[in-house]
Amino acid sequence: MRWRVLTAVLLIVALLAGGIAFRWVVDDTCRRVENLLRQSGPLEEAQALWERRLPLLSCVITHDRLERVGEGIARANGYLQTGEQAGFRVQIEGLLYLLDDIREYDHINVQTLL
């Protein structure tokens, strides 16, 4: 009986620790991408960071949001390369809002961890 209780407690602790770790990764990734987007210059580093973290993020965040961020970075980079500053600024502002939305409102819950 004692080992069952201990196993249950360990599973609950592992689930909570995993949720906290995933939450930290999501927050860290969003903040780092936001900082890269705020810098004026090529967005390849932001795109590379986003693509590196995408497999982990896709475990806990809906795919449509992740795809919108990736597409937005690509569009913003296109605007930057063509010199269209107005379109670039609009894309960056939209991306910053979306990343903030992901960081603040896509809370990890038990269903996404199981």
Side-chain angles (χ1 to χ4, degrees):
M1 179 74 168
R2 186 178 292 166
W3 66 272
R4 290 180 189 163
V5 172
L6 182 61
T7 302
V9 168
L10 288 175
L11 286 174
I12 291 170
V13 168
L15 186 65
L16 290 174
I20 291 169
F22 273 125
R23 190 77 214 136
W24 182 83
V25 168
V26 168
D27 188 56
D28 180 60
T29 301
C30 289
R31 287 190 193 281
R32 288 177 62 193
V33 170
E34 283 176 357
N35 289 337
L36 291 170
L37 292 175
R38 285 191 172 105
Q39 298 172 359
S40 58
L43 302 176
E44 283 83 16
E45 192 175 343
Q47 182 79 33
L49 172 63
W50 189 254
E51 303 235 346
R52 261 194 327 269
R53 295 277 177 98
L54 203 53
L56 181 63
L57 294 175
S58 67
C59 294
V60 291
I61 299 175
T62 59
H63 290 253
D64 62 326
R65 287 177 177 267
L66 298 175
E67 290 171 2
R68 284 193 299 180
V69 171
E71 291 169 359
I73 293 172
R75 262 191 248 111
N77 202 22
Y79 283 127
L80 184 64
Q81 290 176 354
T82 60
E84 203 174 317
Q85 290 298 318
F88 174 73
R89 282 283 143 219
V90 168
Q91 279 300 318
I92 294 296
E93 291 301 318
L95 283 168
L96 293 175
Y97 177 79
L98 185 57
L99 288 168
D100 186 53
D101 194 45
I102 288 171
R103 191 177 65 243
E104 296 294 326
Y105 299 108
D106 272 2
H107 295 292
I108 296 168
N109 54 36
V110 175
Q111 288 83 8
T112 59
L113 290 175
L114 295 178

